[in-house]
Amino acid sequence: MNISILGAGAMGSLFGGLLAESGQRVTLLDINDAHLAVIREQGLRLVTDSGDRRIRGLTACRPEQASGHPDLLLVFTKTLHTEQALASIAAHLAGHTRVLSLQNGLGNAETLFRHVAPEQVLIGMTTWPADLHGPGHVESHGLGVVRVFSADGVERPACAEVATVLDAAGLRCVADADVWAAIWEKVAFNAALNSLCAVTGCAVGQLAAVPQGPELARAVVQEVLAVARAEGIAVDPRHCLASVADAIAQHRTHKPSMLQDVLAGRPTEIGSINGEVVARARRAGIAVPRTEMLLGLLRLVEARAREA
Ligand code: NAD
């Protein structure tokens, strides 16, 4: 399969590298010239539990230099950059191109619908972790899974085909008609822990320093899942609350990506996580006061960083 990855940072490089290793033709599209140059000249250094290796044979270029029409476009920019990134590869997309977002947050399918026909859009979530350690160098440790399905809920052969290709690359992927429940549960997890850590500067485990930390996280999860249920999504609060409790107990020093963005003075993905939840809650007439408070506080933190 001819696969392009739009946004070849931590996750895009992990997925692109593993897909290339499994025999797929992969093009990495990014605007980070230093990262692209190292991949072109030395290959992609990928460090996983399977070893430390360099993956050669990847095409790596800026989006406007993309040629041909991929069978699959995998979108892995941060959500606030998706619109601009997709606009820059409009000529690269054909009627047969399937476009898959595994980004965190809500609103990703709607963004893709503005660029390709709804039946071309696949949506999903992944629990694989990845970090960019420098230009051309990505690391990922531990195990994850991927769930994908058609964004409009209609089962099409492309769902199984794409799942098979990702699974064959070792990404443990299934086509799952209940993918929206998994997406919402991850949104609830991130709306609670990512934003709480980003606002307070706490690592995940430090939220347990006072009882209010875990209590607030649990309350945000309940708010988000109430909005999911109002949209007709059959979410499982017990599963999500257990994941939050496990993360607080086990990931004592982990700094979520939103906190890392704050520390680096970068804008965060809060708009597609707490921001989307608050917007949907308003439409459904549901109060989500803690989720909204965290959104406002993080917007203030971002504004202060812009002024600095
Ligand atoms: P990242 O910042 O490492 O990578 C994003 C890449 O997009 C960067 O390399 C950036 O240069 C590129 N980019 C920005 N604008 C672009 C444009 N206009 N055209 C092309 N490329 C552009 O982010 P990441 O950690 O890989 O996360 C990507 C998505 O995956 C996010 O939605 C994140 O929430 C989600 N996610 C991340 C992880 C993780 O462990 N890192 C896990 C699950 C999901």
Side-chain angles (χ1 to χ4, degrees), residues 27-271:
T27 299
L28 301 180
L29 304 171
D30 206 286
I31 55 171
N32 180 339
D33 290 321
H35 182 53
L36 294 171
V38 172
I39 295 170
R40 276 196 302 269
E41 288 157 22
Q42 302 167 26
L44 171 71
R45 183 176 172 202
L46 185 57
V47 183
T48 67
D49 295 344
S50 309
D52 180 352
R53 65 275 200 199
R54 277 194 188 276
I55 299 167
R56 297 172 203 279
L58 288 157
T59 302
C61 63
R62 291 184 70 94
E64 60 272 19
Q65 295 164 336
S67 61
H69 303 292
D71 303 307
L72 174 66
L73 179 84
L74 183 43
V75 182
F76 258 138
T77 58
K78 289 276 174 69
T79 49
L80 56 161
H81 300 133
T82 314
E83 186 70 53
Q84 192 184 358
L86 281 169
S88 71
I89 55 150
H92 194 48
L93 302 174
H96 74 272
T97 304
R98 298 289 172 266
V99 184
L100 166 63
S101 166
L102 296 176
Q103 298 156 291
N104 283 330
L106 298 168
N108 298 315
E110 289 81 351
T111 306
L112 302 188
F113 291 157
R114 288 196 284 275
H115 295 267
V116 291
E119 58 271 21
Q120 291 176 254
V121 175
L122 299 168
I123 196 80
M125 61 78 72
T126 179
T127 56
W128 285 97
D131 287 301
L132 192 64
H133 280 243
H137 175 186
V138 168
E139 302 211 1
S140 174
H141 297 284
L143 281 177
V145 295
V146 183
R147 292 167 184 220
V148 294
F149 211 70
S150 303
D152 60 7
V154 177
E155 182 151 20
R156 298 190 181 84
C159 303
E161 282 162 25
V162 168
T164 301
V165 166
L166 294 178
D167 199 52
L171 286 159
R172 308 195 332 150
C173 182
V174 290
D176 178 2
D178 292 328
V179 72
W180 282 108
I183 290 171
W184 271 95
E185 286 174 22
K186 192 164 187 205
V187 166
F189 180 98
N190 286 334
L193 296 187
N194 267 21
S195 54
L196 207 40
C197 290
V199 164
T200 60
C202 286
V204 174
Q206 290 173 321
L207 295 176
V210 294
Q212 289 89 344
E215 274 167 27
L216 194 45
R218 284 194 293 273
V220 172
V221 166
Q222 297 285 16
E223 287 181 3
V224 175
L225 296 186
V227 182
R229 282 192 294 274
E231 292 206 359
I233 312 292
V235 283
D236 178 355
R238 281 168 310 171
H239 175 247
C240 196
L241 289 167
S243 303
V244 166
D246 281 355
I248 294 174
Q250 289 171 22
H251 300 167
R252 297 206 63 77
T253 58
H254 174 64
K255 292 183 179 159
S257 60
M258 224 181 258
L259 173 56
Q260 291 180 33
D261 287 336
V262 165
L263 294 173
R266 293 187 296 255
T268 72
E269 290 187 302
I270 190 79

